[in-house]
Each structure stands twice: as C-alpha cells, then as structure tokens.
Amino acid sequence: MNFKLLRKIYPHIEAQNKNICWRRITDDELLKIAGEPQKLCNCFSMSTRDALINSSRGREILKKRIWVDKNATTDSPAYKIILSPNGRDEVYRVSPLDYYTKYAGITATYNEIPKGSGNYKHSESNNLNTAIDIAITKMISKHPKEKPWYVRLFTSPISKKCEFNHPSKAFEWFTGIKPVAIGEDGLFNNLNKNKQETLKQLDELSGTDSKNYSFILLTGFRTDKRLENWHCYPIKRIGYSSLDILNKRTDDGLRFTGAEVTKLFKALVGIDWRKVEK
C-alpha cells in the first residue's frame, strides 16, 4: 500500500465524502471506457458494457445509472452506481479511498500497461472502469448467489469477485432488463443445438443499425485459432451475410458468417432495443 500517496490525497478524500454533489456520466465518458482494454478476467462484464455503449438506448440507461462527483479534485473520484441484482435496483457507492485500500488490487490491474497490445494507451477513463468493477465486487459480496455456484467452485481462490460470471447477469445488473440468452446455460460447446433460434435472432437484427441492439457472443472450449477459450466478444455490426465482433483483450476485430457463429460459439446474449418499451 502506498501510504505516501494516501497521506497526499487524504484531505481531498475526506472533503469528497461530505455533501457530494452528483452529476450523470456523459456520452463522451462512456465512449472513452468502451475504448479501454480488458485487463481483468471479466470479459462477461467488459463486453456487455461495450455492447450497451454501442447502442443509443444502452447509453441512455447507463447515464441514468452511473453518477460521478461533480466537484471531484482527484484522479479517482467518487461514483454512485446503480446495479440490479435479483431484478432490484441497488445503489453502490465507490469512494476515492476504495481505489487504494480494500480494492487496490483492481486499481493496480487497471493501471498496468497492457502487454502485447500496442493499439492501447493508458487513459484517465480507467477510473470509471475501475469504479464499476469495485461496485460489482461490493454487490457480489452482498449477493454471492449472483455468481453461480459452479463458477465459484471452479474459479481460483485468488480471483476477484468481479471476475468470471455470465454475460446475462451483467446485462441485467447494468440495465435491470432480462436479456435474450441463447445457449448460455447449456452444456453444449456450440450453438448447433440452438441453430434455428440463433439464426432467427441474427436474421431479425441483420441490416439494422447497431444503435438498436446490444449483443455479445460467448465461446466455449476453443475450436478456432482466432478465438479464445470461454471468452466474450461484443458484436459491433450484424449484416445480412456476416457479423463483426471485437476481442477486447487485443483490440482485434473478427468477422464470421451466421453458419460459423453456430459452429464456433457457445452462446448469444443481448437485448434488441426495438422490443423493449421505453
């Protein structure tokens, strides 16, 4: 722990914890975090954020659910974040002190220079991604069943609570809306068993402006060298014959046909905003 740094910022922290004046997060701030790389084992959450920010409705919802200290004077401001475990809205506050004490491991990971990823540069928007993951960690501590038992069983004891989970959980936490989830809970390694349902969903979205939907794809055990094991990819575009996804670890864009999607991916999860009442 950096006590010298703590002593330096403590007066600011003490002042910030009193009578905080909140403002909503902006479009620009959300778009900045969409450009940040994945540094934790939280692709389920990072890809979901990216997919939501890629849509106009998703951004509008996030702007109503993420608040920041209007008068922050440090690089690690206070945030107020609304998450929806068990379908109920709950407020989780992240104080400037959280970044450097109990949740310092999350902060340290976000502050590392990405390895093998020359396209990325460190950005001040890291503090928002850090705050969101601290809020998720607090929420999982309060509601441990928000992480399925088999995920808890097979993850490392040193893994962070904001790591390893279902993308459908993240969609629900961030929006309060239950997403479409095809193949996520099944034991199958690809979407062949759900081929008809998957292709129907993709066909409904094909050619539609990406601002109208927020979807991700999840792999199981890798069956293609372009993909990673058990990894989530936000969908950036769905055309009539192919779709584009992004690997947030490497910033690599990938393109697949609908037939390839059913063979290479385990699950399709997301929200068609045209079907959600405003």
Side-chain angles (χ1 to χ4, degrees):
M1 185 183 298
N2 192 329
F3 289 102
K4 184 177 180 180
L5 177 62
L6 280 176
R7 283 195 296 271
K8 182 178 179 181
I9 68 171
Y10 183 77
H12 301 288
I13 293 173
E14 189 175 37
Q16 280 193 322
N17 283 334
K18 297 177 181 177
N19 303 317
I20 293 177
C21 182
W22 300 102
R23 68 165 175 82
R24 287 182 179 177
I25 211 74
T26 65
D27 277 307
D28 285 345
E29 287 167 315
L30 287 172
L31 290 168
K32 282 180 182 178
I33 70 166
E36 290 294 332
Q38 177 198 335
K39 299 181 183 179
L40 298 166
C41 295
N42 63 341
C43 63
F44 79 97
S45 171
M46 288 288 285
S47 62
T48 298
R49 293 175 217 174
D50 190 291
L52 289 171
I53 292 168
N54 198 46
S55 69
S56 53
R57 285 284 299 280
R59 284 198 306 277
E60 286 305 310
I61 288 177
L62 290 176
K63 286 192 293 185
K64 293 176 181 177
R65 297 169 74 88
I66 303 175
W67 300 71
V68 63
D69 181 0
K70 184 178 181 180
N71 302 310
T73 57
T74 72
D75 291 333
S76 305
Y79 285 92
K80 181 171 66 173
I81 299 171
I82 300 172
L83 298 174
S84 298
N86 304 313
R88 301 172 66 178
D89 288 353
E90 294 183 357
V91 176
Y92 292 87
R93 288 179 63 156
V94 178
S95 76
L97 194 59
D98 285 335
Y99 297 92
Y100 304 102
T101 53
K102 187 175 181 180
Y103 307 100
I106 296 174
T107 305
T109 304
Y110 271 107
N111 285 336
E112 290 175 357
I113 298 173
K115 297 178 181 178
S117 179
N119 296 332
Y120 284 123
K121 294 181 180 179
H122 177 76
S123 167
E124 291 179 1
S125 58
N126 273 341
N127 59 35
L128 177 51
N129 269 325
T130 306
I132 292 172
D133 283 322
I134 290 173
I136 291 173
T137 300
K138 291 184 176 186
M139 184 263 294
I140 294 292
S141 296
K142 183 179 179 182
H143 302 284
K145 290 185 178 179
E146 283 297 292
K147 181 174 285 194
W149 66 268
Y150 50 88
V151 176
R152 299 197 302 271
L153 182 64
F154 290 106
T155 52
S156 166
I158 64 171
S159 65
K160 299 172 178 62
K161 291 182 180 179
C162 61
E163 297 179 309
F164 304 107
N165 213 313
H166 286 177
S168 62
K169 287 284 189 183
F171 272 110
E172 195 163 356
W173 297 338
F174 293 144
T175 67
I177 298 168
K178 204 168 189 66
V180 171
I182 304 173
E184 186 183 49
D185 287 328
L187 298 175
F188 300 102
N189 199 49
N190 59 44
L191 284 159
N192 274 334
K193 274 284 185 179
N194 306 98
K195 185 174 182 177
Q196 187 174 354
E197 185 182 5
T198 302
L199 294 178
K200 180 182 177 183
Q201 180 65 73
L202 293 177
D203 185 58
E204 288 178 2
L205 298 171
S206 62
T208 304
D209 193 314
S210 60
K211 69 181 181 182
N212 292 322
Y213 57 81
S214 302
F215 273 82
I216 68 95
L217 282 167
L218 166 67
T219 57
F221 293 106
R222 182 172 64 178
T223 54
D224 187 290
K225 65 180 181 180
R226 293 170 293 175
L227 300 170
E228 299 186 36
N229 288 313
W230 297 96
H231 191 53
C232 294
Y233 300 80
I235 297 177
K236 309 301 285 187
R237 181 200 65 89
I238 301 176
Y240 292 106
S241 60
S242 65
L243 57 78
D244 297 331
I245 63 174
L246 178 69
N247 186 340
K248 288 193 66 64
R249 279 201 184 111
T250 63
D251 198 31
D252 291 330
L254 300 167
R255 178 167 292 181
F256 296 94
T257 65
E260 287 177 314
V261 167
T262 59
K263 292 178 181 178
L264 302 177
F265 293 90
K266 173 181 172 52
L268 174 68
V269 183
I271 299 171
D272 183 348
W273 294 108
R274 299 170 302 175
K275 298 181 180 180
V276 177
E277 291 185 12
K278 292 187 178 181

